[in-house]
Amino acid sequence: MNKNIDKSDIKAQEKSEFKEWFDFTKKEFVKNINIVKQLVLRSIKVQYRNSVIGVFWTILNPLLNMLVMYLVFSSMFSRGGTTTEVDKATYALYLLCGNIVFGMMRTATFQSLPSIVQNRGLLTKNKMSYNVFPLSHNLSAVVNFGFSFVALLGVMLVVWIQGQAVFSVNIFRVFIVLPALFLFSYGLSLVLSAMYTFFRDIMHFYNVFLTLWMYLTPIFYNLSMFGKDFSGKFMETVIKLNPMYYYVEYFRDVVYRCSAHQAVVDKMQAAGETVSQVMSQAALLPGAWETAILYIIGIATTLIGAIVFMATKRRFIYNI
């Protein structure tokens, strides 16, 4: 009888904990909104403490990374195996789009990794939700993304002056991909921050994994550079199993790539020239299924992160 009571009590406690998680966005977030704001501001300030130009590094960093990659890959690797003349002419944008999308995920997850342990003082002295810490780092990553996007617009302006039609209303579809990317990063952050409370070595492993992950994401190359033989098809399959592939490609397409190709296609058709299939496909905007994939990945990752986080959070206090 006692065993049955104990089991029912445990199940009731687990249900209440998961209910608390789903109520977090409605009640707990409002309750801790000031804490989240302060944590976000602190996270941004800490990144650039004692820096001469401060937060402007969020604009300079992606530009400098783009410049380095451009100098290396535009000459040594034939601009990453780009497939069309438009891609070659806009290769700087190709690099920068990949950089800032992957950079948002990397910043959010890597900073969230030790966030619970680093805030042990707040947790032991105040009653607050543990997940405000990974949440705050993800929100600060979104702020950094906003500054990086300003840098992207600057490069787009330069490319536009050079004659490429990179500006269009499609750029507003960024607000479609950004929430999905946030969900993916947040879910991953929950898993990593929970694991770090028990295994401190995970930070070193994850740092190495991020390097591998970056190379498996088409930031500076195009899938067309892989051949049609077995090894080429194998690498293409591996890359398409990478969730960041879909976020980078979608972002790149809606920001500038499809509109730039569509402008060239329109000119070729007006002149009576034959438009290749590659050019026609490059001008097509992502459809409903491509958008759904982003949210399926993001929501699934957040749910997995929530399950792992809630299942382990009762033991955090003993390990931080």
Side-chain angles (χ1 to χ4, degrees):
M1 186 67 179
N2 290 333
K3 289 183 178 179
N4 291 332
I5 293 173
D6 291 340
K7 288 181 179 179
S8 63
D9 289 342
I10 292 172
K11 287 182 179 180
Q13 185 177 357
E14 290 177 348
K15 286 181 180 179
S16 65
E17 287 181 349
F18 280 100
K19 186 177 183 301
E20 176 191 340
W21 169 264
F22 289 110
D23 286 343
F24 174 73
T25 54
K26 296 179 181 178
K27 298 178 181 178
E28 289 297 309
F29 182 76
V30 174
K31 178 182 175 182
N32 295 296
I33 187 71
N34 290 327
I35 295 174
V36 172
K37 283 181 180 178
Q38 292 302 317
L39 289 172
V40 170
L41 290 172
R42 187 185 70 174
S43 177
I44 294 171
K45 288 178 181 177
V46 166
Q47 290 180 62
Y48 305 102
R49 182 180 294 167
N50 299 325
S51 173
V52 176
I53 61 174
V55 75
F56 287 104
W57 275 112
T58 56
I59 296 176
L60 279 179
N61 270 331
L63 288 176
L64 293 174
N65 287 331
M66 178 206 72
L67 180 61
V68 171
M69 285 188 170
Y70 184 84
L71 292 174
V72 173
F73 295 106
S74 63
S75 55
M76 292 177 62
F77 294 95
S78 301
R79 304 201 175 190
T82 47
T83 55
T84 67
E85 290 301 318
V86 176
D87 282 335
K88 290 178 182 178
T90 59
Y91 187 58
L93 288 176
Y94 191 91
L95 288 172
L96 190 53
C97 284
N99 258 325
I100 67 174
V101 171
F102 191 86
M104 175 181 159
M105 182 279 300
R106 176 175 53 202
T107 300
T109 55
F110 192 75
Q111 290 185 354
S112 295
L113 187 63
S115 60
I116 295 174
V117 174
Q118 287 178 346
N119 290 281
R120 63 172 68 89
L122 286 173
L123 289 172
T124 54
K125 295 176 182 178
N126 301 279
K127 186 178 180 181
M128 62 176 65
S129 300
Y130 291 119
N131 41 352
V132 298
F133 300 109
L135 175 62
S136 65
H137 284 295
N138 277 263
L139 290 174
S140 67
V142 173
V143 174
N144 288 337
F145 175 88
F147 285 108
S148 299
F149 194 75
V150 172
L152 175 62
L153 291 176
V155 177
M156 286 178 67
L157 180 61
V158 173
V159 175
W160 176 73
I161 293 172
Q162 293 174 345
Q164 296 294 329
V166 293
F167 285 106
S168 75
V169 294
N170 297 327
I171 197 171
F172 291 104
R173 294 182 68 169
V174 166
F175 295 107
I176 295 177
V177 63
L178 189 57
L181 178 59
F182 175 83
L183 288 172
F184 175 70
S185 301
Y186 182 44
L188 191 56
S189 297
L190 290 173
V191 175
L192 291 169
S193 59
M195 292 176 66
Y196 185 80
T197 60
F198 304 102
F199 311 105
R200 301 292 199 271
D201 291 340
I202 193 173
M203 175 174 279
H204 304 289
F205 287 114
Y206 187 61
N207 196 24
V208 175
F209 178 73
L210 279 173
T211 303
L212 173 63
W213 198 352
M214 184 188 71
Y215 285 114
L216 287 177
T217 305
I219 294 174
F220 52 83
Y221 61 84
N222 189 286
L223 292 187
S224 62
M225 70 181 292
F226 299 109
K228 298 298 181 182
D229 55 0
F230 175 79
S231 60
K233 289 182 178 179
F234 175 76
M235 281 303 302
E236 186 174 335
T237 301
V238 170
I239 290 170
K240 286 185 176 180
L241 290 174
N242 170 12
M244 288 305 298
Y245 163 79
Y246 300 97
Y247 291 106
V248 167
E249 287 293 296
Y250 192 101
F251 180 83
R252 188 179 278 145
D253 284 345
V254 301
V255 167
Y256 84 94
R257 191 169 182 266
C258 291
S259 58
H261 280 85
Q262 186 61 56
V264 175
V265 168
D266 291 341
K267 287 181 181 179
M268 292 176 69
Q269 289 176 339
E273 299 177 16
T274 302
V275 180
S276 67
Q277 185 178 3
V278 174
M279 284 291 293
S280 298
Q281 289 180 343
L284 294 176
L285 282 166
W289 173 241
E290 286 81 1
T291 304
I293 288 175
L294 303 184
Y295 279 90
I296 289 170
I297 294 172
I299 293 171
T301 306
T302 300
L303 289 175
I304 292 170
I307 292 170
V308 172
F309 198 88
M310 296 302 294
T312 56
K313 78 167 192 175
R314 282 179 292 178
R315 289 178 285 165
F316 288 171
I317 199 68
Y318 302 109
N319 291 276
I320 60 176

